[in-house]
Amino acid sequence: MIEIRQPEDALYAFQIAWNGHDMESFEALFHVDATFVNRFGHYVRGVSAIIEMHAPIHATIYRDSTLKNELIDVVPISDDAAILHFWSRLTVGAAHPAGPHAVDTLILTVMTRQDGQWRIKALENVTLTNPRTGEAVLRQGGGL
């Protein structure tokens, strides 16, 4: 588990927990009452619901997946709150029904510090798509 000392540490901690398919470390990223919107628009509230949404896919279709995250920006709101935007490339393997492929998403997180601990209060994940066709596209350029 990576300690989140500043808000931008969250995207690396998220990446490491995902790539290790480590639901305990993934759970530790979020406040108990956090919200999560996945790339398909599924909204859940509470860390238990976030883990319930992710544990089954990490045991099945995403068991051989990896993420690579790239920070876009950090927008401080106060000493105890910040908004992060980051690109995330999800690469899935043979375990996925559609076979190996990659998807780029843009993630927005609201980070808050409570009791001296930075955690994710809200996260929303949006798939990068072609607005004319709705097809998922990979981002050109950048480090991903």
Side-chain angles (χ1 to χ4, degrees), residues 9-144:
D9 293 343
L11 74 131
Y12 302 110
F14 189 96
Q15 178 179 300
I16 289 168
W18 184 284
N19 292 344
H21 308 285
D22 179 352
M23 291 297 100
E24 186 177 319
S25 293
F26 195 69
E27 180 177 13
L29 300 172
F30 298 90
H31 288 292
V32 172
D33 61 345
T35 61
F36 194 107
V37 179
N38 74 7
R39 67 189 190 96
F40 303 107
H42 182 176
Y43 167 89
V44 295
R45 176 181 276 287
V47 72
S48 297
I50 293 168
I51 297 306
E52 285 175 22
M53 181 168 57
H54 285 87
I57 60 176
H58 278 272
T60 58
I61 64 171
Y62 286 166
R63 72 177 177 264
D64 56 358
S65 69
T66 58
L67 280 183
K68 183 174 182 194
N69 295 331
E70 179 184 322
L71 183 65
I72 297 170
D73 64 10
V74 179
V75 181
I77 298 172
S78 71
D79 289 343
D80 295 318
I83 296 169
L84 269 69
H85 294 95
F86 59 95
W87 290 111
S88 186
R89 176 160 293 166
L90 171 66
T91 304
V92 299
H96 195 280
H101 64 281
V103 176
D104 281 345
T105 64
L106 177 63
I107 296 178
L108 177 148
T109 62
V110 176
M111 302 293 300
T112 61
R113 182 168 40 192
Q114 295 174 347
D115 302 322
Q117 300 289 319
W118 283 102
R119 298 239 185 319
I120 298 169
K121 189 71 165 182
L123 184 148
E124 185 167 352
N125 192 6
V126 179
T127 303
L128 185 61
T129 59
N130 179 325
R132 294 189 171 136
T133 66
E135 291 180 65
V137 296
L138 292 180
R139 191 168 76 91
Q140 300 299 313
L144 294 179

